[in-house]
Amino acid sequence: MDAKRRQWREPTKLFINGRWEAPKSERFFETLNPATEEVLARVSEAGAADVDDAVRAARKAFEEGPWSKMVPKERGRLVAKLADLIEQNADELSEIETLDTGMPYGMARYGLIPTAADIMRHSAGWADKVYGETNPVDPAFFSYSLREPVGLCAGIIPWNVPLTMAAMKLGPALALGNVMILKPAEQAPLTCLRFAELVREAGIPDGVINILTGLGPNSTGSFLANHPGIDKVAFTGSSEVGKEIVKSSSGNLKRVSLELGGKSPNIVFSDADIEQALAGAIPAFTAHCGQICFLGTRFFVQQEIYDEFTARLSEMTSGIKVGDPFDKDTQLGPLITREQHERVAGYLKLGVQEGAKLRVGGDAKPKDRGYFVAPTVFSEVKNEMRIAQEEIFGPVATITRFKDEHDAVLQGNDTAFGLAANLWTRDAGRAHRVARALKAGTIWVNCFGFPDAAASFGGYKQSGYGRELGKHVVETYTQLKTVCVKL
Ligand code: NAP
Ligand code: MG
């Protein structure tokens, strides 16, 4: 495939006000191909002056430009055009996504890039479907409420599924009349830069979307979070950085929405369809090498089927093919960076030290080159162990035993996170009881689920606040204004 030979010969630039600009900071960093450890591109680091330029351009686009004054359905048409262009360029975007993040090509091409287009198109529909209200006040007055855009939003996103994350931020923000400065993660910024060209092709007015590559702390990310000229930060990333964002945003009391980390319980009752549960269990800890926030990596299996489930999951895991993400047989690509590889390797050691039983995997370096790690299953895990409590972000399953429904809920909820949960049972009453009892933003019953553009997604507890997707995203990117008229 040509993409494997793709090179970015010149350093990439910043996308500000519809143009490519060299960074005033004159600083650059590198992004690597995690499967080969080769440098893919030198990337601009937006400094304070570059962020100021983007803020000025976006503010102008919002206050004076055509975006907020546009007929809503026209705005929707332009956002939908972005969806069309993602689809038309899906092969290339998928190749770049695979090169930069290491995700298997099939996952990008048939999963996450089409999902980015879906989210964009679904979001576009909001442009002309948000209604105001009339308020039942004293009849001597006419009072109504308008739902208006928040204004200039910063979208700060992680590296795991960059274009999908970009669509989750840009689609609804734009459709609802906001403008945005998007900051991709430093580890995988390249699809967002290719997307910037599509922004121009779609005819989105200058300044409405600005894309600033850069680093996080004391760099582009924190300049955005602290900037007094920005009205809102929509952040997806770790809970740790989420807390920093909240602190940084306090200067001008920016609106903040947070999609943070997870460590989702995956509860298998003895009355479950075991074949179905096992089939769903594999992607639940190995998809994108375990680097997806909502994965159900923390298994709780009822004692009657514990031994059978554990043995069979371990056997299935041993057959997983790890390797070149462009190879169509590959199920597991590499982790994103050397640093992440070291973290995951540390957890593999820690699991054994904590007294869990290593059933399969544990090999932190199955290949000479690339940040690969073997998919790993630990059994006899106690819920208080660090491997069961901390977000590993690698292909590591922990399996803990439980007695009954009460015990499953108690242990499942015993975590700082609350992004999602999975449960497997044939008993319909139990399915709904447990779904209610689990403290998480999304519950998947008898399926390995993925977020859907039409269903709200977000966290309980330290997995964040605010909702993306579904109809509740409207609250995330709008504010209410009441108008009262004396009659
Ligand atoms: P991260 O380290 O929290 O970084 C996320 C983004 O924030 C990056 O663009 C990063 O820039 C930036 N950043 C870092 N420090 C910052 C600061 N002090 N101020 C402003 N911005 C800052 O997360 P990650 O390692 O990229 O992604 C993995 C995490 O994301 C996991 O915890 C995962 O669960 C979570 N995640 C959550 C969801 C969800 O929907 N809930 C979805 C996907 C991922 P740099 O990259 O340049 O440091
Ligand atoms: Mg990269």
Side-chain angles (χ1 to χ4, degrees):
M1 198 170 295
D2 281 353
K4 290 202 230 177
R5 292 191 295 274
R6 179 188 262 274
Q7 280 178 358
W8 283 257
R9 288 197 184 80
E10 300 294 320
T12 66
K13 293 186 173 175
L14 306 170
F15 187 68
I16 300 175
N17 208 21
R19 283 184 285 278
W20 290 109
E21 304 284 358
K24 287 185 176 163
S25 70
E26 296 181 10
R27 289 163 67 101
F28 299 88
F29 61 97
E30 289 174 342
T31 184
L32 309 185
N33 176 346
T36 62
E37 305 183 33
E38 285 161 352
V39 174
L40 284 170
R42 290 185 74 222
V43 180
S44 293
E45 178 185 348
D50 302 299
V51 171
D52 283 345
D53 285 351
V55 168
R56 247 190 313 276
R59 179 57 66 188
K60 189 157 183 280
F62 183 71
E63 304 295 345
E64 299 166 28
W67 198 243
S68 51
K69 302 175 190 75
M70 200 175 266
V71 177
K73 73 173 177 197
E74 177 60 14
R75 208 166 54 219
R77 198 187 63 75
L78 287 172
V79 178
K81 184 95 201 323
L82 289 174
D84 296 341
L85 288 169
I86 292 174
E87 279 166 353
Q88 286 161 25
N89 293 277
D91 288 345
E92 185 192 358
L93 290 166
S94 303
E95 286 164 13
I96 302 176
E97 204 77 307
T98 293
L99 282 171
D100 211 4
T101 69
M103 91 171 51
Y105 177 77
M107 182 177 180
R109 181 62 186 86
Y110 305 106
L112 285 152
I113 298 299
T115 298
D118 260 10
I119 292 172
M120 202 58 97
R121 184 167 294 113
H122 179 88
S123 306
W126 284 118
D128 61 354
K129 291 176 194 65
V130 176
Y131 294 81
E133 291 165 6
T134 56
N135 304 316
V137 300
D138 180 339
F141 298 86
F142 174 46
S143 171
Y144 60 94
S145 296
L146 297 171
R147 212 165 248 293
E148 298 190 329
V150 179
L152 167 45
C153 306
I156 302 180
I157 59 172
W159 44 260
N160 56 349
V161 292
L163 195 69
T164 317
M165 285 292 149
M168 266 168 100
K169 300 281 180 259
L170 289 165
L174 262 64
L176 293 161
N178 301 277
V179 298
M180 186 168 261
I181 301 173
L182 183 78
K183 188 199 103 57
E186 71 195 67
Q187 299 85 350
L190 297 174
T191 34
C192 289
L193 293 175
R194 176 67 184 93
F195 175 78
E197 289 163 10
L198 304 182
V199 168
R200 284 217 290 215
E201 200 177 329
I204 304 281
D206 292 347
V208 170
I209 297 179
N210 303 275
I211 300 183
L212 298 184
T213 45
L215 311 182
N218 305 313
S219 175
T220 324
S222 65
F223 297 154
L224 289 168
N226 281 289
H227 204 291
I230 292 178
D231 302 309
K232 178 191 161 83
V233 181
F235 174 78
T236 298
S238 59
S239 298
E240 198 188 341
V241 175
K243 291 174 193 177
E244 289 304 314
I245 299 281
V246 172
K247 284 185 210 153
S248 309
S249 66
S250 69
N252 67 336
L253 289 179
K254 285 182 190 65
R255 305 308 181 247
V256 176
S257 51
L258 301 171
E259 298 281 2
L260 307 177
K263 185 81 176 175
S264 301
N266 200 332
I267 302 173
V268 188
F269 287 96
S270 58
D271 65 11
D273 176 335
I274 293 267
E275 302 307 322
Q276 201 186 38
L278 282 164
I282 292 291
F285 79 100
T286 62
H288 197 7
C289 211
Q291 304 170 113
I292 300 182
C293 53
F294 57 77
L295 293 184
T297 56
R298 206 166 131 254
F299 289 86
F300 295 91
V301 179
Q302 199 157 11
Q303 54 194 11
E304 291 79 5
I305 58 163
Y306 186 89
D307 292 338
E308 183 196 349
F309 185 91
T310 304
R312 290 190 57 196
L313 185 66
S314 305
E315 196 197 320
M316 287 165 79
T317 303
S318 65
I320 289 176
K321 189 163 179 296
V322 179
D324 176 1
F326 279 102
D327 181 337
K328 68 177 181 359
D329 297 326
T330 291
Q331 292 164 284
L332 212 71
L335 293 163
I336 186 78
T337 53
R338 178 178 302 281
E339 188 190 14
Q340 181 65 10
H341 187 267
E342 279 166 13
R343 266 193 78 232
V344 173
Y347 280 108
L348 297 183
K349 276 207 198 105
L350 179 68
V352 175
Q353 282 163 12
E354 289 188 301
K357 186 166 169 193
L358 177 65
R359 300 295 293 247
V360 64
D363 183 359
K365 201 71 187 132
K367 305 222 174 283
D368 299 340
R369 252 165 31 124
Y371 308 125
F372 293 94
V373 62
T376 298
V377 175
F378 282 111
S379 69
E380 314 313 322
V381 175
K382 299 278 176 260
N383 197 27
E384 60 274 12
M385 290 179 182
R386 284 180 54 201
I387 54 165
Q389 289 293 327
E390 297 174 16
E391 187 180 41
I392 298 175
F393 236 50
V396 183
T398 65
I399 317 187
T400 302
R401 209 177 287 265
F402 75 87
K403 231 174 31 233
D404 53 19
E405 200 175 301
H406 178 71
D407 185 25
V409 169
L410 220 59
Q411 294 200 67
N413 280 338
D414 184 11
T415 159
F417 298 107
L419 190 57
N422 305 255
L423 67 105
W424 305 82
T425 174
R426 284 190 171 106
D427 178 336
R430 166 175 281 166
H432 292 288
R433 267 194 315 272
V434 176
R436 273 192 200 171
L438 289 170
K439 293 185 169 63
T442 298
I443 315 288
W444 282 295
V445 181
N446 293 336
C447 56
F448 165 70
F450 240 78
D452 187 294
S456 300
F457 182 75
Y460 277 34
K461 300 196 268 184
Q462 293 188 35
S463 292
Y465 44 71
R467 289 292 176 267
E468 294 188 312
L469 309 180
K471 72 174 184 178
H472 300 98
V473 75
V474 172
E475 283 149 38
T476 301
Y477 288 103
T478 59
Q479 53 193 345
L480 268 184
K481 174 187 281 174
T482 295
V483 182
C484 181
V485 184
K486 174 98 175 68
L487 298 177

